[in-house]
Amino acid sequence: MPISPLGNMNFVNQNVSYQSTQVSNEVAKEGFANVMNMAETAEKEKTAAKLERVGESLEVQEEIKEKSEEEKGKKQERQAKKKQDKDEEELLEDEEEPQKKDWIHRLDMSI
């Protein structure tokens, strides 16, 4: 007896021709192919998601490197500025010392 598909169920009909069985089999094959394609698509999406995570982590690492380099540059600038300030202070102190020496009274202890 011929079988006719209707939705998800197959009905046995006496009035339907033999071709309905073939159509039912074709629909089942297409459904199976669609399920397999969806599984492949899901796997590809998972792979793409993993690759995106890896890409994001690489971007984050690059940003961290850039920030650390910027911090190092700023630190070096601060150290150079401190050194320059110290040098200027030493120069000022050296200039002030002769003036202080003039103010110092020394006793002559020679005999």
Side-chain angles (χ1 to χ4, degrees):
M1 276 208 210
I3 299 173
S4 64
L6 182 62
N8 289 339
M9 299 167 46
N10 292 327
F11 293 97
V12 176
N13 287 332
Q14 295 176 352
N15 299 331
V16 178
S17 67
Y18 176 71
Q19 294 175 352
S20 65
T21 304
Q22 291 174 344
V23 171
S24 175
N25 289 340
E26 290 297 322
V27 169
K29 287 179 186 177
E30 289 176 9
F32 181 73
N34 288 338
V35 168
M36 292 305 293
N37 286 339
M38 290 181 72
E40 287 179 23
T41 304
E43 289 177 15
K44 289 178 182 177
E45 287 177 353
K46 287 179 183 177
T47 304
K50 287 180 183 177
L51 291 175
E52 286 177 2
R53 283 188 221 132
V54 169
E56 289 175 357
S57 66
L58 291 176
E59 289 175 2
V60 168
Q61 289 176 353
E62 288 175 4
E63 289 177 5
I64 290 172
K65 286 181 183 177
E66 289 174 1
K67 287 183 181 179
S68 66
E69 289 174 0
E70 289 176 6
E71 290 296 323
K72 286 180 183 177
K74 289 179 182 177
K75 187 176 180 181
Q76 290 175 351
E77 288 176 8
R78 280 186 253 134
Q79 289 176 349
K81 190 173 183 180
K82 285 181 183 178
K83 185 176 180 183
Q84 195 175 31
D85 290 343
K86 286 182 182 178
D87 291 342
E88 288 176 2
E89 287 177 10
E90 288 177 2
L91 287 174
L92 290 175
E93 288 176 3
D94 290 343
E95 290 174 1
E96 291 176 2
E97 282 183 19
Q99 294 173 355
K100 288 181 182 178
K101 288 181 181 177
D102 293 339
W103 288 91
I104 297 175
H105 300 287
R106 297 182 184 224
L107 294 174
D108 189 13
M109 299 295 286
S110 63
I111 300 180

